[in-house]
Amino acid sequence: MAESTANTSKAAAGGEPDPGPRTSSWRYIGPGIVVAATGVGAGDLVATLIAGSNFGYTLLWAAVLGCLVKISLAEAAGRWHLSTGRTLFDGWAGLGRWTTYFFVVYVVIWGFVYGAAAMSSSALPLQALFPDVMDLKWWGVACGLVGLVFVWFNKYAVFEKVMTVLVGVMFVVTVYLAIRVTPNLGDAFAGLLPVLPDEKDSILNTLGLIGGVGGTITLAAYGYWVNAKGWTDSGWMKVMRLDNRVAYVTTGIFVVSMLFVGAELLHAAHVSIASGDKGLVQLTDILEQEYGTATAKFFLIGFFATSFTSLIGVWHGVSLMFADFVARYCGRDAVKGEEIASGDRERSWPFRAYLLWLTFPPIVLLFQGQPFRLIIIYGVLGAAFMPFLALTLIWLLNSSRTPRAWRNGPLSNAMLAIAGLLFLVLCVKQVWDQPWAEFF
């Protein structure tokens, strides 16, 4: 942390950035923990639980593959920031005005709907833990306001420490549950073989599991957290790559643990749970019946840590991206990583304006329900973002915009192409599944 702080200070002073360490070290790890905590929300855990309950261990390989795909995307975003010294939005802006139009529509609509979803998700375990304190909606308001105040008054260093503590809680809870259900290790190892379930729509269900393992706009935010840590040039590349691997090993442990729970606790007993966050509340009731109140309460604490890390992670990371967008839109020729590292962006009016947008307008949705047409647009934009990210990274990292030494190799291109194709298929399915006849 001392090296990171020194690097940040020097960047802030306008001098040449410290080249950083030339060898990777565990003591520098940080942004990876943040992206893992933010990317894995309650919805990802439920999707993995349902996959385990429906197919047992058959799709374990798909959960692991999902982590590998996300490693390639996050590594590419971090490599762009470090190799060019420019931010990701600055790179997007260089591809044409269409990227700006897509991004601004996306962050406005997505942030409005996601804010309400994140508050509700964080509120559910709190209401289950303290049922007589207040209504679910007011718990949601409280979570949103706490997230707002926390991110508003703290810079990246404090934010990272809190996220690390919450990740520790998530890790202990999910691993404890995986051990408690006594997984069949023979079947688990067999599940690493790429086999499709003999069910209707098994291919699309498998692709959905691969695409849903901790992957959202937070993958794009990873490069911004790398800069906020004080890593601003290619001297930090080895550190970033180790950090990124730690992120998705951690993510893999979360999702594999929940798949074990689904396979052993739900699949064996032929128990179904609802999709979405309420599925975790149902799981709490099942855990209480099987293992007692203490285990159920312990799980609710982990459920809250999972949801609240996603909330404050988006509040911080996407606000950084929005502040970068505003800086570029206001006529800056190039936006540098040192500007993120200085911490000035976290005190800027665009950063705080987007924080307010994520918090207060969505509170209206908590009380009035989510408008039908807006939810459809939100779903389509959300599905379109991941192929947008994968394909633009391929474009940027194979062009002269990136120094030759850090351009994509064959493996990076293959992984990003697989990611782009996967998310494009899921995007088309999402668009196809929307009730367009009711939209008009």
Side-chain angles (χ1 to χ4, degrees), residues 106-131:
Y106 176 83
V107 295
V108 169
I109 295 178
W110 181 88
F112 182 45
V113 180
Y114 179 83
M119 290 184 228
S120 295
S121 179
S122 299
L124 278 170
L126 291 176
Q127 189 191 40
L129 282 166
F130 310 104

Side-chain angles (χ1 to χ4, degrees), residues 39-59:
V40 179
D44 295 294
L45 296 188
V46 173
T48 311
L49 270 173
I50 291 175
S53 67
N54 290 340
F55 308 117
Y57 294 102
T58 306
L59 291 181

Side-chain angles (χ1 to χ4, degrees), residues 116-172:
M119 290 184 228
S120 295
S121 179
S122 299
L124 278 170
L126 291 176
Q127 189 191 40
L129 282 166
F130 310 104
D132 300 322
V133 175
M134 55 183 165
D135 184 73
L136 178 66
K137 295 180 178 66
W138 290 109
W139 275 119
V141 172
C143 289
L145 293 177
V146 169
L148 170 69
V149 170
F150 171 72
V151 175
W152 188 290
F153 290 105
N154 288 293
K155 294 177 68 174
Y156 176 80
V158 176
F159 166 72
E160 182 189 288
K161 287 183 174 66
V162 171
M163 292 288 273
T164 302
V165 171
L166 292 173
V167 165
V169 173
M170 292 167 60
F171 186 89
V172 170

Side-chain angles (χ1 to χ4, degrees), residues 53-325:
S53 67
N54 290 340
F55 308 117
Y57 294 102
T58 306
L59 291 181
L60 180 60
W61 65 273
V64 173
L65 180 59
C67 293
L68 295 176
V69 167
K70 305 309 187 313
I71 284 176
S72 65
L73 281 165
E75 188 274 340
R79 177 154 45 93
W80 167 265
H81 276 250
L82 294 182
S83 65
T84 65
R86 298 163 60 194
T87 64
L88 185 55
F89 186 82
D90 193 51
W92 285 339
L95 299 179
R97 288 177 177 258
W98 66 275
T99 59
T100 300
Y101 299 146
F102 174 82
F103 179 78
V104 71
V105 172
Y106 176 83
V107 295
V108 169
I109 295 178
W110 181 88
F112 182 45
V113 180
Y114 179 83
M119 290 184 228
S120 295
S121 179
S122 299
L124 278 170
L126 291 176
Q127 189 191 40
L129 282 166
F130 310 104
D132 300 322
V133 175
M134 55 183 165
D135 184 73
L136 178 66
K137 295 180 178 66
W138 290 109
W139 275 119
V141 172
C143 289
L145 293 177
V146 169
L148 170 69
V149 170
F150 171 72
V151 175
W152 188 290
F153 290 105
N154 288 293
K155 294 177 68 174
Y156 176 80
V158 176
F159 166 72
E160 182 189 288
K161 287 183 174 66
V162 171
M163 292 288 273
T164 302
V165 171
L166 292 173
V167 165
V169 173
M170 292 167 60
F171 186 89
V172 170
V173 170
T174 54
V175 171
Y176 166 77
L177 288 178
I179 295 171
R180 190 69 192 267
V181 300
T182 317
N184 185 320
L185 295 182
D187 288 348
F189 281 115
L192 293 174
L193 296 174
V195 175
L196 290 174
D198 187 18
E199 302 281 347
K200 182 182 178 181
D201 294 331
S202 61
I203 294 178
L204 289 175
N205 287 331
T206 303
L207 291 177
L209 180 62
I210 295 171
V213 180
T216 62
I217 192 173
T218 54
L219 287 170
Y222 178 64
Y224 289 85
W225 286 322
V226 163
N227 286 159
K229 179 77 169 175
W231 307 346
T232 58
D233 57 58
S234 59
W236 292 93
M237 197 72 75
K238 288 183 179 179
V239 177
M240 181 275 292
R241 285 173 166 163
L242 174 64
D243 179 77
N244 180 44
R245 292 182 190 116
V246 168
Y248 283 95
V249 168
T250 305
T251 300
I253 291 172
F254 291 152
V255 297
V256 168
S257 295
M258 294 310 288
L259 191 138
F260 283 3
V261 173
E264 293 295 339
L265 193 61
L266 305 178
H267 182 70
H270 303 287
V271 174
S272 298
I273 61 172
S275 60
D277 300 341
K278 291 184 179 178
L280 294 184
V281 177
Q282 287 179 267
L283 179 62
T284 303
D285 297 333
I286 297 168
L287 288 170
E288 186 168 8
Q289 293 171 11
E290 293 289 330
Y291 303 113
T293 302
T295 295
K297 299 289 187 188
F298 190 49
F299 171 71
L300 285 171
I301 294 170
F303 178 6
F304 172 73
T306 300
S307 298
F308 195 65
T309 51
S310 294
L311 186 152
I312 60 175
V314 166
W315 263 231
H316 187 276
V318 184
S319 296
L320 268 181
M321 294 182 69
F322 183 77
D324 187 43
F325 155 73

Side-chain angles (χ1 to χ4, degrees), residues 1-9 18 20-21 27-28 229-231 236:
M1 181 61 73
E3 288 83 350
S4 173
T5 304
N7 193 40
T8 302
S9 301
D18 190 296
R27 63 197 177 104
Y28 296 115
K229 179 77 169 175
W231 307 346
W236 292 93

Side-chain angles (χ1 to χ4, degrees), residues 302-388:
F303 178 6
F304 172 73
T306 300
S307 298
F308 195 65
T309 51
S310 294
L311 186 152
I312 60 175
V314 166
W315 263 231
H316 187 276
V318 184
S319 296
L320 268 181
M321 294 182 69
F322 183 77
D324 187 43
F325 155 73
V326 172
R328 188 66 170 76
Y329 184 77
C330 287
R332 302 285 293 278
D333 291 334
V335 182
K336 301 292 186 181
E338 287 92 339
E339 297 176 49
I340 308 294
S342 71
D344 290 341
R345 288 287 167 77
E346 293 162 280
R347 297 187 296 271
S348 67
W349 72 261
F351 180 90
R352 290 177 168 173
Y354 194 73
L355 271 179
L356 296 173
W357 175 253
L358 283 168
T359 307
F360 288 106
I363 288 176
V364 177
L365 299 185
L366 291 178
F367 289 91
Q368 294 188 353
Q370 298 181 354
F372 175 72
R373 288 182 176 83
L374 191 61
I375 296 303
I376 291 180
I377 296 171
Y378 165 79
V380 170
L381 286 172
F385 184 81
M386 293 301 285
F388 167 80

